[in-house]
Amino acid sequence: LAKTTQPISMDSYEGQEVNITCSHNNIATNDYITWYQQFPSQGPRFIIQGYKTKVTNEVASLFIPADRKSSTLSLPRVSLSDTAVYYCLVGDIGNTGKLIFGQGTTLQVKP
Amino acid sequence: NAGVTQTPKFRVLKTGQSMTLLCAQDMNHEYMYWYRQDPGMGLRLIHYSVGEGTTAKGEVPDGYNVSRLKKQNFLLGLESAAPSQTSVYFCASSYSSGRGLNAEAFFGQGTRLTVV
């Protein structure tokens, strides 16, 4: 499994765009990049997933450069309710079944 | 549609006692997982299963045992509880997507366990 590195914490204000970058230098050819969000006292929930270039859904965008050694989760115009821990996962999880979470990035959105 | 259900939601154990946490999913998922989450920390994988009758060790398996006798259930056992096992335990499940796109994992609501 590719090791991931992401900031421990970030602060933002309501209405701003937040970008959380994850480094995964030893990503393998078959690995996908997946992001989860966890609110306090709840289990994580899937946000977005990608292999290369850009993926966008109703919650976030995921930017992956050509070398795939990093990825950036972008949250447009955050609100207080986006305060959560965000986890970056990299692996061939669908094939191996091994789902490993790192430390995650704690995002605090302030009014 | 219940999704992933964990039983119990809260439990207090005395050191040395045993207990079993039950995880049940109604989505016919092949993969199931048990995690623990300590305050201010990320989730750590205890054990996981890629199908009925199979289990595998995760990152922190010591002190825990698991069984997957039925596809929909994944049991986590503590044979002799220790204060270091005080934590919130999460169960999750996902389908097997094979090589390529990773299937979304669905989590239960958690079990808060305190060992005194």
Side-chain angles (χ1 to χ4, degrees):
Chain A
L1 291 173
K3 178 178 170 56
T4 60
T5 303
Q6 51 183 125
I8 296 295
S9 64
M10 295 180 68
D11 289 339
S12 182
Y13 291 93
E14 284 191 291
Q16 289 187 332
E17 178 184 71
V18 171
N19 295 309
I20 305 174
T21 297
C22 179
S23 297
H24 29 81
N25 290 321
N26 59 340
I27 188 169
T29 302
N30 294 318
D31 290 347
Y32 273 69
I33 301 156
T34 311
W35 286 80
Y36 281 79
Q37 174 191 56
Q38 184 181 26
F39 296 117
S41 302
Q42 295 184 26
R45 69 166 187 145
F46 175 94
I47 302 177
I48 198 166
Q49 177 177 196
Y51 185 80
K52 61 181 178 180
T53 64
K54 177 184 175 182
V55 179
T56 297
N57 62 22
E58 66 277 4
V59 176
S61 294
L62 179 59
F63 298 91
I64 305 169
D67 65 7
R68 304 202 325 123
K69 294 183 182 301
S70 67
S71 58
T72 299
L73 175 73
S74 181
L75 304 172
R77 300 181 60 80
V78 295
S79 64
L80 296 176
S81 63
D82 292 314
T83 293
V85 179
Y86 294 82
Y87 297 95
C88 167
L89 285 74
V90 174
D92 188 12
I93 301 166
N95 192 44
T96 67
K98 201 166 187 178
L99 187 63
I100 300 288
F101 286 77
Q103 177 73 16
T105 297
T106 299
L107 173 65
Q108 179 70 49
V109 180
K110 303 175 181 178
Chain B
N1 188 355
V4 179
T5 303
Q6 293 183 225
T7 310
K9 292 182 175 55
F10 303 93
R11 184 72 185 269
V12 178
L13 283 180
K14 293 183 179 179
T15 298
Q17 286 186 319
S18 64
M19 79 163 293
T20 300
L21 281 67
L22 170 64
C23 178
Q25 52 95 3
D26 60 2
M27 296 172 282
N28 201 34
H29 285 165
E30 292 85 4
Y31 296 166
M32 294 189 75
Y33 308 87
W34 274 110
Y35 296 90
R36 61 175 290 172
Q37 186 170 37
D38 300 327
M41 304 288 287
L43 283 82
R44 291 186 290 171
L45 182 63
I46 304 172
H47 287 280
Y48 67 103
S49 169
V50 298
E52 182 179 319
T54 70
T55 63
K57 294 181 180 180
E59 302 172 282
V60 289
D62 293 343
Y64 305 95
N65 57 74
V66 289
S67 64
R68 184 114 181 255
L69 299 180
K70 294 183 178 181
K71 186 176 184 179
Q72 64 267 36
N73 295 336
F74 195 29
L75 278 64
L76 177 71
L78 287 73
E79 291 186 347
S80 179
S84 60
Q85 294 178 305
T86 294
S87 190
V88 178
Y89 292 84
F90 287 102
C91 175
S93 73
S94 72
Y95 69 87
S96 169
S97 59
R99 178 141 285 172
L101 206 63
N102 299 320
E104 174 182 353
F106 294 86
F107 283 78
Q109 75 276 36
T111 296
R112 187 172 298 275
L113 176 66
T114 302
V115 183
V116 297

